[in-house]
């Protein structure tokens, strides 16, 4: 566990790039996959860590979870940069949505869920394990961390689901209408994996399996990218990869695999 200096957030300021609806894909996945954790939580507190130059993604997260999971969910947006915290205040809606200064230590909060997106991308790979441990160590009992990255418009993304015991799954997501091939997903792997897309590493093998199945599913292209993707994911699962059977998520361009199958060697 990383020691947290008293009174000082742990981490460095990110670039702050953000866009409306950039995180819609992961937000909807969180509502579907992690909703039960919030429904059963005594305090349905969610932290949006490193929300960026504006508070728009925190606003959207609160709205989506309130609609899909439970109306009394509370979201706290945390940023290291005090200027960003001040800039977000006009969109705050206490107690449902607030903004404060904080880093990986989560400002002393004990949330049921943390979303940390496009935060670790600028760090060295070696910093990931400590950051994960610091964040999961601050979770409420049974809490979850969703850590990952996506492109500027949210069309490609990848994220890891963790609990206090460590990483559980990897999810890859794409906007199917603009997906040229599954190989493009390599561009937005989480920091723990993005440098591991090389021969001999499990994540490379998974992406190659998706790419090969995508090519084999080319005859389904006239029926639309969704049909081609469903055929692709089904073929990869039938080939032995431990993909979660989630037809609804598959139709949305998402696929989840056990972390043990893709963990770096």
């Amino acid at each position: 566990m990383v020691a947290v200096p008293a009174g000082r957030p742990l981490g460095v300021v990110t670039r702050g790039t953000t866009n409306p609806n950039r995180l819609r894909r992961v937000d909807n996945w969180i509502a579907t996959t992690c909703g039960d954790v919030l429904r059963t939580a005594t305090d349905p507190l969610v932290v949006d860590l490193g929300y960026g130059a504006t508070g728009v993604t925190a606003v959207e997260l609160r709205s989506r979870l309130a609609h899909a999971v439970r109306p009394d969910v509370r979201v706290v947006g945390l940023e290291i940069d005090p200027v960003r915290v001040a800039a977000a205040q006009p969109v705050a809606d206490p107690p449902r949505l607030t903004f404060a200064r904080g880093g990986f230590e989560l400002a002393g909060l004990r949330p049921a869920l943390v979303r940390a997106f496009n935060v670790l991308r600028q760090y060295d790979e070696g910093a990931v394990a400590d950051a994960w441990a610091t964040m999961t160590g601050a979770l409420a009992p049974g809490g979850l961390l969703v850590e990952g990255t996506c492109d500027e418009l949210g069309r490609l993304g990848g994220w890891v689901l963790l609990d206090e015991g460590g990483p559980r799954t990897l999810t890859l997501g794409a906007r199917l209408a603009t997906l040229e091939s599954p190989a493009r997903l390599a561009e937005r792997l989480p920091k723990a994996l993005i440098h591991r897309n090389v021969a001999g590493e499990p994540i490379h093998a998974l992406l190659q399996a998706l790419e090969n199945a995508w090519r084999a599913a080319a005859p389904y292209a006239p029926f639309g990218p969704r049909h081609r993707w469903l055929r692709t994911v089904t073929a990869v699962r039938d080939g032995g990869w431990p993909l979660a059977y989630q037809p609804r998520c598959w139709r949305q361009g998402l696929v989840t695999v056990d972390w043990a199958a893709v963990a770096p060697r």
Side-chain angles (χ1 to χ4, degrees), residues 40-65:
T40 59
T42 302
D43 181 10
L45 173 62
V46 177
V47 164
D48 182 13
L49 181 64
Y51 56 83
T54 77
V56 63
T57 57
V59 173
E60 293 170 343
L61 177 62
R62 201 276 159 186
S63 176
R64 288 164 183 150
L65 293 180

Side-chain angles (χ1 to χ4, degrees), residues 10 37 72 76 94 107-108 128 147 152 185 206 216 250 256:
L10 183 60
V37 169
D72 61 337
V76 177
V128 172
E147 187 276 311
E152 286 71 14
L185 291 165
L206 174 61
W250 290 358
T256 296

Side-chain angles (χ1 to χ4, degrees), residues 111-132:
L113 177 74
V114 175
R115 184 189 68 184
F117 242 67
N118 302 304
V119 174
L120 286 175
R121 188 171 178 82
Q122 68 185 35
Y123 287 77
D124 291 334
E125 182 182 349
V128 172
D130 277 354
W132 281 356

Side-chain angles (χ1 to χ4, degrees), residues 151-162:
D151 66 359
E152 286 71 14
L153 297 179
R155 293 178 176 178
L156 296 170
W159 52 91
V160 182
L161 176 67
L162 305 97

Side-chain angles (χ1 to χ4, degrees), residues 30-118:
I30 287 173
T32 299
T33 307
C34 308
D36 285 346
V37 169
L38 291 174
R39 291 186 188 96
T40 59
T42 302
D43 181 10
L45 173 62
V46 177
V47 164
D48 182 13
L49 181 64
Y51 56 83
T54 77
V56 63
T57 57
V59 173
E60 293 170 343
L61 177 62
R62 201 276 159 186
S63 176
R64 288 164 183 150
L65 293 180
H67 175 74
V69 181
R70 58 186 288 182
D72 61 337
V73 67
R74 297 191 300 121
V75 172
V76 177
L78 292 182
E79 261 291 348
I80 290 179
D81 185 354
V83 174
R84 293 178 184 171
V85 176
Q89 296 307 319
V91 297
D93 183 22
R96 293 177 290 268
L97 175 63
T98 57
F99 296 91
R101 192 164 182 245
F104 294 133
E105 81 297 335
L106 306 184
L109 300 172
R110 299 286 283 176
L113 177 74
V114 175
R115 184 189 68 184
F117 242 67
N118 302 304

